[in-house]
Coordinates of all heavy atoms in Angstrom, one line a residue:
T471 N 64.4 113.9 169.4 CA 64.5 112.6 168.8 C 63.2 111.9 168.7 O 62.5 111.8 169.7 CB 65.6 111.7 169.5 OG1 66.8 112.4 169.5 CG2 65.8 110.4 168.7
I472 N 62.8 111.3 167.6 CA 61.7 110.5 167.5 C 62.2 109.0 167.4 O 63.0 108.7 166.5 CB 60.9 110.7 166.2 CG1 60.5 112.3 166.2 CG2 59.6 109.9 166.1 CD1 59.8 112.7 164.8
N473 N 61.7 108.2 168.3 CA 62.1 106.8 168.2 C 61.0 105.9 167.7 O 59.8 106.0 168.2 CB 62.4 106.3 169.7 CG 63.6 107.1 170.2 OD1 64.7 107.0 169.7 ND2 63.4 107.8 171.4
V474 N 61.3 105.2 166.7 CA 60.3 104.3 166.1 C 60.7 102.8 166.1 O 61.8 102.5 165.8 CB 60.1 104.7 164.5 CG1 59.0 103.8 163.9 CG2 59.8 106.2 164.4
T475 N 59.8 102.0 166.6 CA 60.1 100.5 166.7 C 58.9 99.9 165.9 O 57.8 100.2 166.0 CB 60.0 100.1 168.1 OG1 61.0 100.7 168.9 CG2 60.3 98.6 168.2
V476 N 59.4 99.0 165.0 CA 58.5 98.2 164.1 C 58.7 96.7 164.2 O 59.8 96.3 164.2 CB 58.6 98.7 162.7 CG1 57.6 98.0 161.7 CG2 58.4 100.2 162.5
S477 N 57.6 96.0 164.4 CA 57.7 94.6 164.6 C 56.6 93.8 163.8 O 55.7 94.4 163.4 CB 57.6 94.2 166.1 OG 56.3 94.7 166.6
S478 N 56.9 92.5 163.7 CA 55.9 91.7 163.0 C 56.1 90.2 163.7 O 56.9 89.5 163.3 CB 56.1 91.6 161.6 OG 55.1 90.7 160.9
G479 N 55.2 90.0 164.7 CA 55.2 88.7 165.3 C 56.6 88.5 165.9 O 57.2 89.3 166.6
S480 N 57.1 87.3 165.6 CA 58.4 86.8 166.2 C 59.6 87.2 165.4 O 60.8 86.9 165.7 CB 58.4 85.3 166.4 OG 58.3 84.6 165.1
L481 N 59.4 88.0 164.3 CA 60.5 88.4 163.4 C 61.3 89.5 164.2 O 60.9 90.1 165.1 CB 59.9 89.1 162.1 CG 59.0 88.2 161.3 CD1 58.7 88.9 160.0 CD2 59.6 86.8 161.0
T482 N 62.6 89.6 163.8 CA 63.5 90.5 164.4 C 62.9 91.9 164.1 O 62.7 92.3 162.9 CB 64.9 90.4 163.8 OG1 65.4 89.1 164.1 CG2 65.9 91.4 164.4
Q483 N 62.7 92.7 165.1 CA 62.1 94.1 164.9 C 63.2 95.0 164.4 O 64.4 94.8 164.5 CB 61.5 94.5 166.2 CG 62.5 94.8 167.3 CD 61.8 95.2 168.7 OE1 60.6 95.0 168.8 NE2 62.5 95.9 169.5
A484 N 62.6 96.2 163.9 CA 63.5 97.2 163.4 C 63.3 98.5 164.3 O 62.2 98.7 164.7 CB 63.2 97.5 162.0
T485 N 64.4 99.2 164.6 CA 64.3 100.4 165.3 C 64.9 101.6 164.5 O 65.9 101.3 163.7 CB 64.9 100.4 166.7 OG1 66.3 100.0 166.5 CG2 64.2 99.3 167.5
L486 N 64.4 102.8 164.7 CA 65.0 103.9 163.9 C 64.9 105.1 164.8 O 63.8 105.4 165.4 CB 64.2 104.0 162.6 CG 64.7 105.2 161.7 CD1 66.1 104.9 161.1 CD2 63.6 105.4 160.5
A487 N 65.9 105.9 164.8 CA 65.9 107.2 165.5 C 65.9 108.3 164.5 O 66.8 108.4 163.6 CB 67.1 107.4 166.4
L488 N 64.9 109.2 164.5 CA 64.8 110.4 163.6 C 65.1 111.6 164.4 O 64.7 111.7 165.6 CB 63.4 110.4 163.0 CG 62.9 109.2 162.3 CD1 61.4 109.4 161.9 CD2 63.7 109.0 161.0
T489 N 65.8 112.5 163.8 CA 66.1 113.8 164.5 C 65.3 114.9 164.0 O 65.0 115.0 162.8 CB 67.6 114.1 164.2 OG1 68.4 113.1 164.7 CG2 68.0 115.4 165.0
T490 N 64.7 115.7 164.9 CA 63.9 116.9 164.6 C 64.7 118.1 165.0 O 65.2 118.2 166.1 CB 62.6 116.9 165.2 OG1 62.6 117.1 166.6 CG2 61.9 115.6 164.9
V491 N 64.8 119.2 164.1 CA 65.6 120.3 164.4 C 64.7 121.6 164.1 O 63.8 121.5 163.3 CB 66.8 120.3 163.5 CG1 67.7 119.2 163.8 CG2 66.4 120.3 162.0
P492 N 65.0 122.7 164.7 CA 64.3 123.9 164.4 C 64.6 124.4 163.0 O 65.6 124.1 162.4 CB 64.9 124.9 165.4 CG 65.6 124.1 166.4 CD 66.1 122.9 165.8

Side-chain angles (χ1 to χ4, degrees):
T471 301
I472 305 173
N473 296 301
V474 184
T475 301
V476 183
S477 60
S478 181
S480 61
L481 305 184
T482 301
Q483 66 183 21
T485 60
L486 181 67
L488 305 171
T489 302
T490 70
V491 297

